[in-house]
Amino acid sequence: MEPLFGVLLGLILAVASAAESNCTCATNKWTVCAQDASGNCTCMLVGSNHKVDCSTLTSKCLLMKAEMIPLKEKRFRGRPRGLLDNDGIYNPDCEDSGIFKARQCNQTDTCWCVNTAGVRRTEKGGKSLSCSELVRTSWIYIELKHKKRSSAFDVPEVANALKHLFESRYKLHPKYIAAIKYDSPLIQIGLNQNDSKKSRCDVDIADVAYYFEKDIKDDSVFHSNSTLTVSVNGDALDIEKLWIYYVDEKPPEFCMRQLVSGISAVVTVVILTAGFGITVLVVLKWLLLQSYHLSGYILVSFLQMVDQVFYCNSP
C-alpha cells in the first residue's frame, strides 16, 4: 500500500510541477507568473502590479517601463532615428490602460509631449510644459534591407510571407497592413490604423512595430518562440537593417528655434567664407599689381641699360 501511495504522490507532484512550469506569459518575457489555488495562471509586469493579458501583445509603454528595471540596476551598481525614435528607450509614464501619458518627464524635470507610439513630437521643456492630448500615430512606415543574395526574391512571395508574419505572430488584422513593397534588397511596409478603425480588441500598430523591432534586433519580447524566422518560399529572409518612421494624425510641434539657430550658423559660415574669399581676391589683386609694376620697372631698367651700352659704344 505504501509503495502505491508513494507512486501516486510522485505523479501528483510531477503534474503540479509541470503545471507550474507552464505558468508563463508566452507574449511577454518581462512578467512574473504564478498559479493560484484554482490553478489559474496570473502574470504581473516586472516592477509593477500591472496584470498582463498574455493572449495578446503588451503595450509598448508597459514594455519600456519593464525594460528599464535592469537598466536602473546597472546604473545603481555604477555601470554605465515622419519621426524617427531618436530618443531611444526611457522610463515612461503610462495610463492604467497601458497607453503612454501625453506628457513624459525625466528625473531632471525635463518634459516633452509624445504620440501614441511614445515618440517625442515637441521640443523639450520644463515642468510647466502642457500636452493637451495624446496624438495618435496613424501611419507607421517600416523599411528593411535584407542581406545580399545571388538573386532577388519574388515580390508577391515576400509580401505574402510578411503579411502572414504580422497576422500570425503579432495578431495584426490584415486591414491595417496598407502596403508591402519590395525592390531588392529594400522592403517597405506601411501600417495604417486610425482611431475610427481600431476596435478595443485590435492590437495597436505601435505595439506591433515595437515587437517587430525587438525581433529583428534579436531581443524578442516573446517568452516562447523568441527567435524570429521568416522564410520566403523556403529561403530565409535575413534582415540586416531596419528603420521605423512614425506619422501622426497631427503635425509635430517642434518650434523654429533650433532651425533658426542652425540657419544663423550657416549664414555666419557663408559670410565668413565670403569675407575670406574677398580678402584673398584683394590680396591677389595687390600682388598682381605689384608684380606688374615690378616687371615694368625691370623692363625700363633693362632698356635704359641697353641704351647706355649702345650710347657708350657708338662712334
Side-chain angles (χ1 to χ4, degrees), residues 14-298:
V15 171
S17 177
E20 186 69 25
S21 63
N22 290 330
C23 185
T24 57
C25 188
T27 59
N28 190 347
K29 66 181 181 181
W30 298 100
T31 52
V32 177
C33 303
Q35 278 186 322
D36 57 22
S38 303
N40 298 319
C41 184
T42 302
C43 297
M44 310 295 288
L45 192 72
V46 170
S48 73
N49 58 352
H50 197 285
K51 187 177 178 180
V52 176
D53 181 3
C54 297
S55 65
T56 186
L57 304 186
T58 305
S59 72
K60 180 181 178 181
C61 188
L62 293 176
L63 288 177
M64 287 176 61
K65 199 165 192 67
E67 288 177 284
M68 285 300 297
I69 301 300
L71 295 180
K72 285 181 179 179
E73 293 175 354
K74 286 183 180 180
R75 284 199 293 267
F76 181 76
R77 290 194 293 263
R79 302 176 186 174
R81 3 222 260 173
L83 297 171
L84 273 171
D85 191 3
N86 293 321
D87 293 317
I89 188 172
Y90 58 92
N91 188 14
D93 290 326
C94 309
E95 301 284 1
D96 292 338
S97 60
I99 65 174
F100 288 91
K101 289 187 177 181
R103 191 184 75 162
Q104 300 291 326
C105 300
N106 59 22
Q107 294 179 345
T108 62
D109 291 339
T110 300
C111 301
W112 60 94
C113 302
V114 300
N115 54 24
T116 52
V119 180
R120 181 165 64 90
R121 49 174 282 108
T122 65
E123 297 289 349
K124 292 183 177 180
K127 282 286 189 179
S128 60
L129 179 68
S130 176
C131 304
S132 58
E133 62 177 326
L134 181 67
V135 177
R136 177 155 191 81
T137 297
S138 55
W139 279 92
I140 294 182
Y141 293 97
I142 302 173
E143 291 187 355
L144 308 169
K145 181 181 178 182
H146 65 66
K147 294 181 180 179
K148 290 183 178 180
R149 48 183 288 114
S150 58
S151 61
F153 291 106
D154 184 66
V155 176
E157 290 178 350
V158 171
N160 290 334
L162 290 173
K163 283 181 180 179
H164 176 72
L165 172 71
F166 278 84
E167 292 174 30
S168 60
R169 186 172 178 87
Y170 307 113
K171 314 301 181 185
L172 182 65
H173 196 285
K175 67 181 179 181
Y176 299 128
I177 304 175
I180 297 179
K181 298 180 180 180
Y182 174 54
D183 184 11
S184 181
L186 298 177
I187 304 171
Q188 294 179 321
I189 305 171
L191 306 180
N192 176 227
Q193 187 181 62
N194 297 317
D195 257 339
S196 57
K197 296 180 180 179
K198 183 181 181 299
S199 70
R200 186 176 180 181
C201 299
D202 289 332
V203 295
D204 196 289
I205 57 173
D207 303 335
V208 171
Y210 195 64
Y211 268 78
F212 182 64
E213 178 185 3
K214 289 292 185 179
D215 276 340
I216 295 297
K217 294 180 178 179
D218 199 24
D219 185 24
S220 180
V221 180
F222 290 98
H223 189 279
S224 57
N225 192 23
S226 58
T227 303
L228 177 64
T229 54
V230 183
S231 62
V232 179
N233 197 23
D235 293 332
L237 182 64
D238 295 322
I239 305 300
E240 62 178 2
K241 288 187 178 180
L242 166 73
W243 301 269
I244 301 179
Y245 301 89
Y246 305 88
V247 182
D248 298 342
E249 290 182 345
K250 295 183 179 181
E253 301 173 6
F254 292 103
C255 68
M256 297 295 291
R257 183 173 52 213
Q258 289 185 346
L259 180 60
V260 169
S261 63
I263 293 175
S264 301
V266 172
V267 171
T268 302
V269 171
V270 170
I271 292 174
L272 290 176
T273 304
F276 178 74
I278 293 172
T279 303
V280 170
L281 290 175
V282 171
V283 171
L284 287 175
K285 183 178 180 181
W286 182 82
L287 289 175
L288 287 173
L289 288 174
Q290 294 299 316
S291 175
Y292 171 76
H293 291 314
L294 180 60
S295 300
Y297 175 77
I298 293 174

